[in-house]
Amino acid sequence: PNSDTIIIDLSEGVGTFGDYRFYALGGKSTHRTPTGNFSAKSKYADFYSRKYDAAMPYSVFFTDQCAIHEG
């Protein structure tokens, strides 16, 4: 992986970005997180989901509807 690669290990619940490690939870059983290799499609510092009525700061979308985000 290169220096801007984020790796998510859903089985361990951990993500890595360079030397930084963080908790990473997948989607619910009704909205499973897709697996595979993805590129960022869009990024938002202050994203708010109307669907979930929730703030999702620092969202990085890797599909049209799936993102990693804070919180």
Side-chain angles (χ1 to χ4, degrees):
N2 62 36
S3 63
D4 61 350
T5 298
I6 298 170
I7 299 171
I8 305 293
D9 183 340
L10 293 173
S11 67
E12 296 290 325
V14 175
T16 57
F17 179 68
D19 293 332
Y20 181 71
R21 290 175 55 88
F22 52 93
Y23 291 110
L25 303 175
K28 296 179 181 183
S29 61
T30 56
H31 296 91
R32 294 211 182 270
T33 301
T35 59
N37 296 314
F38 302 91
S39 295
K41 293 178 71 88
S42 57
K43 298 186 262 184
Y44 302 93
D46 296 313
F47 185 77
Y48 189 86
S49 171
R50 290 182 299 219
K51 180 177 181 178
Y52 295 105
D53 191 26
M56 297 180 177
Y58 304 107
S59 290
V60 178
F61 282 82
F62 56 94
T63 74
D64 289 336
Q65 296 184 5
C66 295
I68 60 172
H69 55 85
E70 183 179 307

